[in-house]
Amino acid sequence: MPRKKFVAGNWKMNTTLAEAKALGSAIAQGVGSSSKVDVAVCPPFPWLVSVSEVLKGSSVALGAQDVHNEAKGAFTGEVSTGMLKEAGCKYVIVGHSERRHILGESDLTVHLKLHAAVEAGMHVILCVGETLVERERNLAERVFQRQVYSALAGITDEQWPLIVIAYEPVWAIGTGRTATPEQAQLAHLFIRSKLQSMHGEKIANALPILYGGSVTPETAGGLFSQPDVDGGLVGGASLKADQFLAIVKAAGA
Ligand code: 13P
């Protein structure tokens, strides 16, 4: 069965409450109540409940940008899977490069967060990708192979359908320097072939692998036409409804 395309917007630390509601509404209206493409938006934590309200009746799902691995307790500033689910989240992004590189998240932290999320029944968008220095030193494949292996070690058969991988080369994030469709395809194929040798063909073929890093309405079509690119995780262009909807359309909506 062909994999359904998936486009998710990562709003990062952007929007006022009014902007978040307006953006969510416009996207919900543009996508409608059913779509050939899975669509999600990931607003900042304080706006989740309000955006969840404006998405009601549409097929746009809600996601969070991060989660803590513990269920509750003395973890000042952190947010649990239970809280995210109650706020209406289906998805959570784990291991975004900004958290790995700016906030110092380790592979172990990413592993614990991912497992907490799937154990709570949430869908996870696991971000992996190399820095420019790693690419220049020919270490790219080694880096995202390590990130994928360490995060997904121990995932059970029932949990695999909850996993989405986003390949986001760090040098392409927020830089306007998108990977070429060929570069993206090569990386995605590499990830899929490693998943296949570790976990078998069925799991590898079913798992969506999104591309992220300066996706725009102009670059989306070329990227999404690659056989192993199953959609996009969009930053900057997800903050403008018309651009985000054009990217969703490029995915086949
Ligand atoms: P940009 O689309 O702004 O490059 O961000 C990509 C990203 O980090 C999505 O998670």
Side-chain angles (χ1 to χ4, degrees):
M1 212 174 67
R3 291 177 297 273
K4 195 174 180 186
K5 290 270 196 288
F6 177 31
V7 177
N10 175 7
W11 297 359
K12 307 192 180 181
M13 198 169 70
N14 293 297
T15 67
T16 62
L17 176 56
E19 286 165 353
K21 289 205 283 193
L23 181 56
S25 296
I27 291 168
Q29 225 164 43
V31 172
S33 58
S34 75
S35 171
K36 282 189 238 148
V37 175
D38 286 328
V39 181
V41 293
C42 304
F45 287 140
W47 311 156
L48 286 171
V49 172
S50 304
V51 174
S52 138
E53 293 293 322
V54 304
L55 297 181
K56 278 200 179 122
S58 82
S59 60
V60 180
L62 189 69
Q65 299 173 19
D66 187 32
V67 69
H68 192 262
N69 58 287
E70 295 290 345
K72 64 175 186 172
F75 301 99
T76 302
E78 295 295 328
V79 170
S80 71
T81 54
M83 293 169 186
L84 294 182
K85 280 171 44 176
E86 210 174 325
C89 290
K90 174 178 178 184
Y91 291 95
V92 61
I93 298 172
V94 165
H96 192 280
S97 68
E98 285 145 20
R99 300 208 59 88
R100 292 179 192 263
H101 297 293
I102 303 172
L103 296 153
E105 267 187 21
S106 66
D107 285 336
L108 175 61
T109 305
V110 174
H111 172 96
L112 293 173
K113 288 181 173 192
L114 181 139
H115 281 261
V118 294
E119 271 153 35
M122 296 190 78
H123 291 247
V124 171
I125 303 173
L126 166 68
C127 298
V128 300
E130 80 285 3
T131 63
L132 184 59
V133 172
E134 287 161 346
R135 173 159 282 257
E136 284 170 351
R137 292 191 184 154
N138 251 336
L139 294 171
E141 291 182 343
R142 208 181 297 179
V143 169
F144 47 78
Q145 179 173 343
R146 188 200 73 226
Q147 292 170 335
V148 167
Y149 277 15
S150 64
L152 296 175
I155 289 294
T156 64
D157 284 350
E158 304 76 57
Q159 291 171 338
W160 278 108
L162 298 173
I163 306 291
V164 175
I165 292 177
Y167 169 62
E168 300 206 303
V170 180
W171 47 271
I173 295 178
T175 58
R177 196 179 150 194
T178 320
T180 64
E182 294 73 27
Q183 281 173 325
Q185 170 57 22
L186 271 179
H188 287 219
L189 184 61
F190 177 84
I191 292 170
R192 202 179 301 286
S193 62
K194 291 293 162 194
L195 287 169
Q196 183 173 332
S197 50
M198 285 273 299
H199 305 289
E201 195 169 343
K202 198 162 152 241
I203 284 167
N205 283 344
L207 198 145
I209 307 180
L210 313 183
Y211 167 80
S214 300
V215 177
T216 62
E218 292 73 35
T219 57
L223 289 160
F224 299 169
S225 67
Q226 299 297 314
D228 288 288
V229 179
D230 303 313
L233 181 57
V234 186
S238 74
L239 295 170
K240 299 218 167 73
D242 57 341
Q243 289 194 17
F244 186 69
L245 289 167
I247 293 169
V248 171
K249 199 162 169 216

